[in-house]
Amino acid sequence: MSRERFEELVADALDEVPQELLNLMRNVVILVEDESPPGEPELLGLYEGHALTDRGWDYAGVLPDRITIYRNPILRICDTDDDVVEEVAVTVVHEIAHHFGIDDHRLHDLGWG
């Protein structure tokens, strides 16, 4: 799958997130990279930053949080285009949830692991 098509799927997944939640996202950028960082397991996505629940009165002047969706690891675990669509949606929601302070354990309990 081309990078362009994959980026469209990420945009489509974001369109499915309720607007009320998107409106609450502050100082965060969503990126697509081909590969997860060297030395890391096959990550599908990664949230880097300060979750909203961790931001205090002294949160100011920081670079945006980053949500990165990794194209090739997702493509490697999916058999069909439909599988890619579903995995991209799950990964996007999973990483956005981290922005809101929801940890992996809770996400797995909710079925978004």
Side-chain angles (χ1 to χ4, degrees):
M1 175 179 292
S2 72
R3 183 178 175 101
E4 181 179 271
R5 175 67 180 131
F6 189 87
E7 289 175 353
E8 288 173 2
L9 294 179
V10 171
D12 291 347
L14 287 168
D15 287 344
E16 296 300 316
V17 174
Q19 191 62 46
E20 296 82 14
L21 289 179
L22 291 176
N23 290 343
L24 295 173
M25 292 178 67
R26 298 283 186 259
N27 201 31
V28 62
V29 62
I30 299 173
L31 307 166
V32 172
E33 296 289 340
D34 286 334
E35 296 293 343
S36 55
E40 293 289 332
E42 287 276 299
L43 294 176
L44 306 182
L46 181 64
Y47 172 76
E48 299 171 284
H50 304 276
L52 292 177
T53 54
D54 295 335
R55 296 179 185 181
W57 63 270
D58 58 344
Y59 178 83
V62 298
L63 293 173
D65 292 4
R66 294 170 46 115
I67 292 175
T68 307
I69 309 300
Y70 297 108
R71 183 172 72 96
N72 288 333
I74 289 176
L75 294 178
R76 283 193 283 272
I77 67 164
C78 294
D79 294 323
T80 67
D81 284 354
D82 288 342
D83 292 343
V84 175
V85 170
E86 182 176 338
E87 189 57 53
V88 166
V90 168
T91 303
V92 167
V93 168
H94 182 104
E95 301 309 328
I96 287 173
H98 287 319
H99 178 69
F100 286 98
I102 302 171
D103 65 19
D104 281 329
H105 179 73
R106 183 68 179 135
L107 284 167
H108 283 276
D109 290 347
L110 295 170
W112 293 96

